[in-house]
């Protein structure tokens, strides 16, 4: 089993003193268009620095959780994954970089007009060690991109890029079961009942922790996709510059209806009426959008079916309405599923709160980034809100008890909002 040595612990502590650097959607798109091996190499240098810093912040937070939460076996497991990935990332440039590549990495550093390596950086293997003022050696600057085009890169750069991508793919896979394992840790803590830690503390911690996870997985996912080369037109990595909302919504409707009819054994579940311009396109990460729409639709479908019973011949339809403004795209999902009592509304945003029969914490649910079954995990709403906020949007819920619920999903069109960095 992996253990955190005192040396590693020191290194993590040091990295955790540096601020995390946010990357906006627009920056990622500008950087990732037609990348050369040099661009990909530069991105790998940025990640070699940024990911360890983000991971180190998480290790430290997991270590400093109030009361005994840090000692719960599942929390310790998760902390060890973060530390192990930290180690994989900081050791990689050292072990895999030829002197030539090290020189190039240093040159990129200067070219980007950034600060030189501070004397006291513990990470001597990395030419671009963190600098004290938060601006770091490698920036995702567009200027660099055009300046370095047409340069001949040494052959070993391609091999390095491939190896680096494989390494971060393994890191991403290691962290697949993080959500269910942390949830398990919270349960262990509650069972141990050894403290008076209030739930709002746990909620705030989980919001920060899962938000950070979305950011880390976004950076890794984007890098992997760029290295695999262009897949479909309109895509820059995992970002689609022309995400068609009507298509995405219809797909989410079909998937949610299928799960609903299967779950309740219905011949025909509630209809979902879609009101959306067919040509509405915007820049977004389709996997995030479909996750949110799917979760919200499942909630509405469940509420309607449970309100009218499985024998109902014709359910009142759910409406999915899309409005496009200059600033944002707003999506309203309205159902007549009976709503939620006002006192219960704040609860729906808490993790693990569900009125469905509880699902066991099977890590396989985590495989595709938090995908849950029909209901029962209690993560649908809080995680969807994090996804919305990650790119500067939001998610709100208004209930009319006795009638139904409206949820409003706001998505930022400008796409230059700062990345939230807990
Ligand atoms: P889960 O669906 O696993 O229970 P969610 O976070 O998606 O977790 O939702 C939490 C709870 O909020 C649900 O169990 C349900 O009680 C309530 N809820 C969510 N959406 C609706 C809705 N459209 N109508 C009525 N209740 C809802
Ligand atoms: Mg749900």
């Amino acid at each position: 089993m992996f253990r955190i040595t005192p040396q590693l612990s020191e290194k993590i502590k040091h990295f955790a003193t540096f601020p995390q650097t946010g990357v906006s959607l627009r920056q990622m798109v500008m950087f990732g268009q037609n990348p050369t091996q040099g661009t990909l190499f530069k991105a790998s240098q940025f990640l070699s620095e940024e990911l360890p810093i983000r991971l180190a912040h998480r290790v430290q937070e997991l270590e400093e959780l109030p009361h005994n939460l840090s000692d719960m076996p599942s929390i310790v497991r998760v902390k060890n994954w973060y530390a192990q990935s930290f180690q994989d990332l900081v050791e990689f440039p050292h072990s895999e970089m030829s002197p030539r590549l090290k020189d190039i990495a240093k040159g990129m550093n200067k070219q980007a007009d950034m600060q030189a390596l501070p004397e006291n950086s513990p990470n001597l293997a990395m030419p671009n060690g963190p600098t004290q003022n938060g601006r770091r050696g490698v920036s995702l600057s567009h200027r660099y991109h055009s300046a370095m085009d047409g340069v001949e890169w040494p052959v070993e750069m391609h091999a390095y890029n491939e190896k680096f991508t494989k390494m971060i793919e393994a890191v991403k896979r290691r962290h697949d079961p993080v959500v269910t394992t942390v949830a398990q840790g919270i349960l262990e803590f509650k069972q141990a009942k050894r403290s008076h830690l209030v739930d709002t503390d746990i909620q705030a911690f989980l919001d920060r922790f899962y938000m950070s996870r979305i950011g880390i997985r976004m950076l890794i996912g984007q890098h992997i996709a760029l290295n695999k080369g262009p897949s479909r037109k309109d895509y820059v990595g995992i970002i689609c510059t022309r995400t068609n909302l009507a298509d995405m919504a219809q797909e989410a409707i079909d998937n949610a209806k299928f799960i609903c009819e299967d779950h309740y054994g219905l011949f025909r579940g509630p209809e979902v009426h879609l009101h959306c311009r067919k040509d509405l396109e915007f820049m977004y990460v389709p996997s995030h959008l479909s996750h949110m729409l799917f979760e919200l639709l499942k909630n509405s479908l469940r509420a309607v079916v449970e309100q009218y019973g499985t024998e109902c011949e014709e359910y009142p339809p759910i409406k999915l309405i899309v409005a496009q403004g200059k600033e944002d795209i707003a999506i309203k999902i309205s159902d007549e599923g009976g709503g939620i009592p006002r006192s219960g509304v704040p609860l729906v945003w808490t993790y693990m709160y569900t009125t469905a029969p509880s699902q066991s914490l099977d890590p396989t649910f985590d495989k595709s980034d938090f995908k849950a079954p029909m209901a029962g995990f209690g993560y649908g709403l809080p995680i969807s809100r994090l996804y919305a906020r990650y790119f500067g949007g939001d998610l709100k819920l208004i209930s009319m008890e006795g009638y139904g619920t409206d949820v409003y999903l706001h998505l930022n069109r400008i796409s230059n909002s700062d990345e939230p960095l807990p």
Side-chain angles (χ1 to χ4, degrees), residues 52-73:
I53 290 174
R54 293 193 185 195
L55 294 168
H57 279 271
R58 263 46 267 174
V59 172
Q60 199 143 51
E61 179 161 45
L62 288 170
E63 236 152 40
E64 292 167 2
L65 289 173
H67 313 281
N68 308 12
L69 189 48
S70 298
D71 302 333
M72 295 303 119

Side-chain angles (χ1 to χ4, degrees), residues 15 19-24 27-28 31 38-54 89 93 97 105 108-109 114 126-130 134-141 160-161 164 168 215-216 218-220 222-223 419 421:
F15 271 73
Q20 308 166 87
T21 301
V23 185
S24 74
Q27 274 176 308
M28 278 191 249
F31 182 80
T39 324
L40 297 172
F41 179 71
K42 188 178 173 68
S44 76
Q45 297 314 290
F46 171 73
L47 292 182
S48 294
E49 221 176 84
E50 181 58 20
L51 291 175
I53 290 174
R54 293 193 185 195
L89 275 151
M97 225 188 251
M108 284 177 168
N109 201 4
M114 294 285 180
M126 260 175 32
N128 309 307
R135 293 174 71 214
R136 293 204 309 281
V138 185
S139 76
L140 290 172
S141 88
Y160 178 91
N161 284 342
F164 182 84
I168 58 170
I216 290 172
M218 177 73 210
L219 291 183
I220 296 182
Q222 185 66 5
H223 191 77
E419 186 185 4
L421 292 170

Side-chain angles (χ1 to χ4, degrees), residues 11 45 73 79 108 119 122 142 151 199 265 272 342 345 375:
K11 213 169 194 178
Q45 297 314 290
K79 185 180 73 186
M108 284 177 168
E119 301 271 295
H142 190 237
V151 176
D199 272 356
V272 181
R342 270 181 75 184
V345 171

Side-chain angles (χ1 to χ4, degrees), residues 385-421:
R385 186 167 68 176
L386 291 183
Y387 273 122
R389 287 179 175 174
Y390 181 69
F391 285 126
D394 208 354
L395 178 62
K396 297 195 185 315
L397 180 147
I398 309 268
S399 143
M400 292 167 76
E401 192 190 6
Y403 178 75
T405 305
D406 289 347
V407 291
Y408 293 86
L409 176 59
H410 293 273
L411 305 173
N412 188 342
R413 279 205 99 156
I414 321 281
S415 63
N416 60 354
S417 66
D418 287 333
E419 186 185 4
L421 292 170

Side-chain angles (χ1 to χ4, degrees), residues 46-251:
F46 171 73
L47 292 182
S48 294
E49 221 176 84
E50 181 58 20
L51 291 175
I53 290 174
R54 293 193 185 195
L55 294 168
H57 279 271
R58 263 46 267 174
V59 172
Q60 199 143 51
E61 179 161 45
L62 288 170
E63 236 152 40
E64 292 167 2
L65 289 173
H67 313 281
N68 308 12
L69 189 48
S70 298
D71 302 333
M72 295 303 119
S74 296
I75 300 292
V76 175
R77 268 180 81 196
V78 170
K79 185 180 73 186
N80 284 339
W81 290 334
Y82 274 74
Q84 196 171 355
S85 298
F86 172 91
Q87 181 171 288
D88 288 355
L89 275 151
V90 293
E91 283 180 356
F92 189 86
H94 179 55
S95 55
E96 299 292 339
M97 225 188 251
S98 67
R100 177 91 196 276
L101 286 184
K102 279 182 192 174
D103 270 355
I104 291 175
K106 257 187 219 149
M108 284 177 168
N109 201 4
K110 289 201 198 84
Q111 186 137 11
D113 209 9
M114 294 285 180
Q115 293 220 331
L117 178 70
E119 301 271 295
N120 64 349
S121 171
N123 205 11
L124 294 172
M126 260 175 32
N128 309 307
T131 57
Q132 292 294 349
N133 65 355
R135 293 174 71 214
R136 293 204 309 281
V138 185
S139 76
L140 290 172
S141 88
H142 190 237
R143 189 166 48 118
Y144 157 80
H145 197 5
S146 35
M148 298 296 263
D149 273 349
V151 176
E152 288 241 349
W153 303 108
V155 278
E156 69 260 37
M157 187 180 272
H158 184 72
Y160 178 91
N161 284 342
E162 271 188 348
K163 267 193 161 166
F164 182 84
T165 304
K166 281 222 173 69
M167 185 267 297
I168 58 170
E169 267 181 313
V171 165
K172 187 159 184 270
R173 219 172 310 120
R174 174 183 296 138
H175 291 250
D176 279 344
V178 159
V179 176
T180 42
T181 312
V182 169
Q184 185 66 47
I186 305 289
L187 290 183
E188 287 160 5
F189 176 77
K190 285 187 171 160
Q191 276 152 13
K193 273 201 188 106
R194 266 179 295 165
S195 94
H196 306 289
L197 181 63
V198 279
D199 272 356
T200 49
D201 283 354
I202 298 188
Q203 288 312 315
F205 154 65
L206 291 177
D207 267 335
R208 281 196 303 278
F209 193 78
Y210 293 143
M211 182 63 106
S212 153
R213 183 175 188 267
I214 290 174
I216 290 172
R217 290 175 88 77
M218 177 73 210
L219 291 183
I220 296 182
Q222 185 66 5
H223 191 77
I224 293 170
L226 288 180
N227 274 273
K228 295 231 157 106
S231 50
R232 279 174 283 173
K233 67 169 176 52
D234 304 337
Y235 271 75
V236 177
I238 57 173
I239 302 163
C240 180
T241 53
R242 298 175 60 186
T243 311
N244 184 295
L245 198 43
D247 288 351
M248 302 265 349
Q250 192 55 54
E251 199 182 301

Side-chain angles (χ1 to χ4, degrees), residues 295-304 306 318 333-341 344-345 347-359 372-384 397-399 403-407:
E295 288 299 326
L296 298 174
L297 287 163
K298 277 191 309 174
N299 283 352
S300 287
L301 286 164
R302 171 178 166 233
V304 172
E306 301 205 344
I318 292 160
I333 300 179
S334 301
D335 68 57
E336 295 177 30
I340 303 162
V345 171
L347 290 176
V348 304
W349 298 109
T350 62
Y351 295 90
M352 285 176 276
Y353 171 80
T354 180
T355 52
S358 253
Q359 293 286 336
M374 185 67 197
F377 199 43
Y379 271 66
L381 286 174
I383 295 281
S384 294
L397 180 147
I398 309 268
S399 143
Y403 178 75
T405 305
D406 289 347
V407 291

Side-chain angles (χ1 to χ4, degrees), residues 283-299:
M283 188 160 82
Y284 213 72
V285 177
S287 60
H288 290 191
L289 182 59
S290 47
H291 178 94
M292 295 183 281
L293 293 172
F294 178 65
E295 288 299 326
L296 298 174
L297 287 163
K298 277 191 309 174
N299 283 352

